[in-house]
Amino acid sequence: MSSALTDLFPHPIVQAPMAGGVSVPRLAAAVSEAGGLGFLAAGYKTADGMYQEIKQLRGLTGRPFGVNLFMPQPEYADPAAVEVYAHQLAGEATWYDTELGDRDSGRDDGYDAKLAVLLDNPVPVASFHFGIPSSDALESLRRAGIFTLVTATTPEEALAVQYAGADAVIAQGIEAGGHQGTHRDLPEQDGTGLGLLSLVAQIRETVTIPIVAAGGIMRGSQIAAVLAAGASAAQLGTAFLAAPESGAHDVHKQALTNPLYVRTELTRAFSGRPARGLVNRFLREHGPYAPAAYPEVHHLTAPLRKAAAKAKDAQGMALWAGQGHRMARELPAGQLVEILAAELDAARTALSGKGDLR
């Protein structure tokens, strides 16, 4: 099964699917063409929007790629808490001269329609975030020739992923940028996640399916470390964020290495679910009070984030980034894959006693 995954791409390098317009077809194509596995992010898109991006990507590369879907979320948010947060954000709406978004804009992200598109137009790989597809859905995808991966943040979640019938698990450490892919959103567990190396080692002893390691990886030597810990491949997001092919806002790209942003933090401020981003004004002011309410808070803050980006105001944007953000390199995605692969080879040589680890 491990070879079934890694045979799809020469280098054990997966480009993370970053929703919100970052993981665009040109980025995924560049990574796949260089020997990694490029990914499209279907989150926050319509089913037709996802289909159009798949068509565009197929026109750019004939190599394997993946598509990521968000799982529908249960209704457990406290409406009163969301209302209080909306009042707190009123000043932001005034500042950016916009309205707050409709908190009731939908919770399933068009999951069923997107799944139908994938089954009608199979892609090589599909991954899932925020939960596990049904065993029937995973079996249908397998029959369609689609290799499936599901994010897990604990060994228990990884075991559930294997039990459901997924082909592989993405072990997401707490270092990861963007949203934590926890299967249940439990506020009492905020900030208690495992570091990546510990998580990979524990999951390796818990499941038999292949592991893709994700969280804070920026160098080939780190890829070597997670492979040594038991992973079959590494998934990198922030490392590709600054690439010219990335769809991230220029302000976001520049913030990664801007000395003004010295650290990241897990926050619910922008979406109502824990996500790691650069600490800016919005995160500091609203993070402590944001309720556990996804996607209600995501919908609520969407116009604010859009207005901040239009104004090129990094202090009001969701600057998602992993803990290794200061190590970002502004390189074309294909060149970055080649450099990471060379660093990986050098690290492997050094670890085997045939060279110096630098």
Side-chain angles (χ1 to χ4, degrees), residues 140-167:
S140 295
L141 291 165
R142 180 178 296 108
R143 287 198 300 267
I146 302 173
F147 192 94
T148 56
L149 303 97
V150 179
T151 300
T153 61
T154 66
E156 293 77 18
E157 288 181 348
L159 191 61
V161 168
Q162 176 173 278
Y163 182 78
D167 294 316

Side-chain angles (χ1 to χ4, degrees), residues 83-330:
E83 183 64 27
V84 169
Y85 195 56
H87 283 296
Q88 182 179 329
L89 295 175
E92 297 282 352
T94 300
W95 175 259
Y96 288 113
D97 193 22
T98 187
E99 301 289 333
L100 294 177
D102 178 7
R103 69 199 74 175
D104 299 316
S105 295
R107 346 187 28 84
D108 67 358
D109 200 46
Y111 172 77
D112 288 337
K114 291 173 184 176
L115 194 62
V117 169
L118 293 184
L119 291 171
D120 287 341
N121 304 271
V123 297
V125 181
S127 69
F128 300 87
H129 211 56
F130 299 147
I132 311 174
S134 68
S135 294
D136 287 345
L138 290 169
E139 179 58 29
S140 295
L141 291 165
R142 180 178 296 108
R143 287 198 300 267
I146 302 173
F147 192 94
T148 56
L149 303 97
V150 179
T151 300
T153 61
T154 66
E156 293 77 18
E157 288 181 348
L159 191 61
V161 168
Q162 176 173 278
Y163 182 78
D167 294 316
V169 60
I170 300 170
Q172 186 192 38
I174 199 168
E175 305 95 331
H179 285 92
Q180 291 282 297
T182 52
H183 297 180
R184 296 179 63 199
D185 186 12
L186 303 173
E188 62 271 22
Q189 294 182 5
D190 283 4
T192 63
L194 292 169
L196 182 58
L197 284 176
S198 178
L199 179 64
V200 170
Q202 291 184 50
I203 289 180
R204 182 69 290 156
E205 294 189 1
T206 305
V207 303
T208 58
I209 58 176
I211 300 168
V212 176
I217 301 173
M218 304 293 288
R219 296 288 187 266
S221 57
Q222 293 172 290
I223 298 175
V226 296
L227 296 183
S232 298
Q235 179 172 281
L236 294 75
T238 306
F240 288 104
L241 197 61
E245 297 92 342
S246 157
H249 195 289
D250 285 344
V251 170
H252 192 170
K253 294 181 180 182
Q254 293 160 7
L256 295 175
T257 53
N258 187 331
L260 180 65
Y261 303 100
V262 297
R263 64 186 179 90
T264 63
E265 191 174 293
L266 285 170
T267 184
R268 294 178 180 271
F270 297 100
S271 72
R273 234 184 186 272
R276 184 173 298 281
L278 301 176
V279 176
N280 61 3
R281 178 194 60 79
F282 195 104
L283 190 156
R284 285 193 302 269
E285 292 183 1
H286 302 294
Y289 313 105
Y294 177 88
E296 288 87 350
V297 172
H298 165 78
H299 295 315
L300 201 63
T301 66
L304 302 179
R305 290 178 276 119
K306 183 177 180 179
K310 184 177 181 181
K312 298 183 178 181
D313 179 10
Q315 295 299 326
M317 296 169 61
L319 302 174
W320 303 136
Q323 288 184 344
H325 66 95
R326 298 298 293 275
M327 300 169 72
R329 296 178 278 201
E330 297 181 25

